[in-house]
Amino acid sequence: MRDARPDDPGARRYARHHSLAGFGVTGQRRLAAARVLVVGAGGLGSPVISSLAGCGVGHLVVMDPDVVEISNLPRQLIHTEAAIGTAKVTSVQRAVAAQNSGVEVSALPERLSVTRALELVAEVDVVVDCTDSIEARYVLNDACVLLGVPLVWASIAQYAGQFGVVEPAVGPCYRCVFPDPQAVAGLATCEEAGVLGVLPGVLGAMQAVEVIKLCSGIGAPARDAIRLYDALGATMATLPVARDPECGVCGLEAGYFEGVAGLEGVDAPPGFADFGGSGGFGGLGAAGGPGADGRAAASGAVAEIGPQEWPDAGFVLVDVRNPDEVEAAPLPPWMTVGADETFVEPWAGGWNETTRASVHARVGERDVVLVCARGARSRAAAGVLGASASASAMEHAAASGREAASGQEATPGDDAAADGSSRRPGRILSVRGGLAAAS
């Protein structure tokens, strides 16, 4: 941006910035030259994109695979009724063009993958995570750490939200604060738990402030603490965080990215599987894994199934949604056909020991199928149940070994049926994509 002149439209548009102490024409030039990747054009993405476009960030790269739905409109204010059925990134392009024709928008109507994350992050100055995906958050964090690009993230649920900044090599990364993806995998999404319509606007505006600070060089990024906002209590709390020297991604002796050739060959850390079919790091894998037929084949193993893989009979169906969700969307009849038992055990980021034991007691030789709204909670619950079942199986095997060594006879039915025939151990299965995909 050239120096402001009285007849320059830019001088009039950004006059308040030009007169702002510490920002001025230099700060505005920096915004105009910046390239920002915004992943997600929904609740958080709407205020982020509108704010950055209004302030004159020169180039926005917006990624989102979804289309505008009527249920989006209360909180995704960049979209209108006329955009229903249109790709969100197309709606964003039109809105930004109407708001500030000097801002360029690259629209990417696609889902994030590891390879794309690496490609896109390498081409921008700042990344903004506006998704409600745990997988995406870890992928973006890792890509940003690898490539040295700042990341501004936020998450919201019901009446509260939090946000923070990852500034590689300077402050803690997302994994320093949340090292175990499985621990947060079962948290309900906004679609599952609901969200106050105005809340994303508050958190998105806070994200936009951090992006502007990073692009213009003013102020101190919020990298050393997580800010927690409670709308009902009208409070903002600060949770100090520090870089973990043992972090596998950004720690002092991190070996996570060793051997990386260009953008390929990134190995997954323990407990992670491929994300987005592109190879590399990120993505939550189920505990255990599928057998040759695509399902779990051993006691305690976990797999995801669809309608075509549904057990014929003799299984237990566990609905891990909360009672309000169950009442609003009952299970379709075909899901319960052949079930010995169907019951509700809500998963709210975890189960207490009593609940876990209650569910585990039903495993035995029967399949246990867990279902939620979109698959995240049932997958996390299945992983916990699978780990518990595996531990029990190991203990049983050890006990059997002790009995054999002492000359005791095994109880009929422990490892085989009373008639001598072998029995398949029960499997722990979660419904792939939840009701949203199976109905």
Side-chain angles (χ1 to χ4, degrees):
M1 177 176 294
R2 59 189 184 275
D3 290 338
R5 298 193 307 271
D7 59 343
D8 186 348
R12 296 195 298 274
R13 179 185 286 268
Y14 305 114
R16 302 301 183 273
H17 279 179
H18 292 167
S19 60
L20 185 61
F23 193 91
V25 174
T26 299
Q28 194 60 49
R29 283 176 176 164
R30 291 172 177 170
L31 289 188
R35 291 175 59 91
V36 176
L37 170 62
V38 182
V39 183
L44 291 169
S46 289
V48 167
I49 294 165
S50 293
S51 297
L52 297 183
C55 287
V57 170
H59 193 136
L60 299 174
V61 182
V62 182
M63 170 181 275
D64 195 305
D66 296 333
V67 300
V68 179
E69 300 177 0
I70 193 169
S71 61
N72 301 150
L73 302 184
R75 66 193 181 282
Q76 301 181 19
L77 303 184
I78 201 168
H79 307 301
T80 64
E81 289 185 358
I84 293 175
T86 302
K88 286 185 177 179
V89 291
T90 301
S91 173
V92 163
Q93 272 188 319
R94 294 170 180 169
V96 172
Q99 180 185 6
N100 189 346
S101 60
V103 174
E104 182 179 354
V105 176
S106 295
L108 304 177
E110 59 188 87
R111 198 168 297 279
L112 182 70
S113 70
V114 172
T115 299
R116 287 297 277 149
L118 289 165
E119 292 171 348
L120 294 169
V121 170
E123 298 175 350
V124 299
D125 302 300
V126 179
V127 176
V128 195
D129 173 19
C130 296
T131 73
D132 62 355
S133 165
I134 296 297
E135 292 96 333
R137 185 154 302 135
Y138 282 92
V139 167
L140 291 173
N141 173 81
D142 298 349
C144 286
V145 171
L146 172 61
L147 298 170
V149 177
L151 168 69
V152 181
W153 63 269
S155 61
I156 53 176
Q158 296 185 326
Y159 304 101
Q162 58 184 353
F163 75 96
V165 173
V166 174
E167 200 168 5
V170 180
C173 79
Y174 192 79
R175 286 185 188 269
C176 291
V177 185
F178 303 103
D180 182 8
Q182 298 291 351
V184 292
L187 298 179
T189 64
C190 290
E191 183 170 352
E192 296 166 334
V195 62
L196 185 65
V198 297
L199 183 66
V202 177
L203 272 298
M206 294 176 180
Q207 284 182 286
V209 170
E210 297 304 313
V211 174
I212 291 169
K213 287 157 60 177
L214 288 164
C215 290
S216 65
I218 65 168
R223 62 174 177 258
D224 297 324
I226 294 175
R227 271 66 178 183
L228 309 171
Y229 174 69
D230 176 11
L232 293 183
T235 59
M236 176 72 80
T238 300
L239 177 65
V241 293
R243 195 171 175 187
D244 181 1
E246 298 183 0
C247 175
V249 171
C250 77
L252 299 179
E253 298 182 5
Y256 184 30
F257 300 123
E258 288 180 359
V260 176
L263 298 180
E264 303 298 334
V266 185
D267 293 329
F272 266 70
D274 177 38
F275 172 63
S278 302
F281 58 99
L284 295 173
D293 63 350
R295 293 198 253 176
S299 177
V302 173
E304 293 187 346
I305 61 171
Q308 71 278 7
E309 302 158 311
W310 208 257
D312 295 327
F315 64 94
V316 176
L317 182 59
V318 186
D319 192 336
V320 300
R321 298 175 297 162
N322 62 52
D324 290 340
E325 291 176 288
V326 174
E327 182 179 357
L331 294 175
W334 68 264
M335 277 192 172
T336 60
V337 173
D340 289 345
E341 185 178 2
T342 300
F343 63 99
V344 178
E345 285 289 0
W347 175 273
W351 276 334
N352 60 37
E353 182 63 23
T354 301
T355 301
R356 185 206 55 75
S358 172
V359 179
H360 174 61
R362 294 172 161 91
V363 178
E365 295 170 352
R366 299 186 296 177
D367 293 336
V368 174
V369 181
L370 300 104
V371 63
C372 66
R374 299 184 65 84
R377 284 174 287 176
S378 60
R379 183 170 64 242
V384 169
L385 192 60
S388 172
S390 295
S392 296
M394 292 174 63
E395 175 59 31
H396 174 72
S400 297
R402 289 192 297 269
E403 290 175 356
S406 64
Q408 298 180 26
E409 295 184 1
T411 303
D414 280 353
D415 298 301
D419 60 5
S421 62
S422 62
R423 290 181 179 174
R424 174 181 61 79
R427 299 168 299 178
I428 299 166
L429 311 170
S430 64
V431 179
R432 186 182 303 110
L435 287 181
S439 298

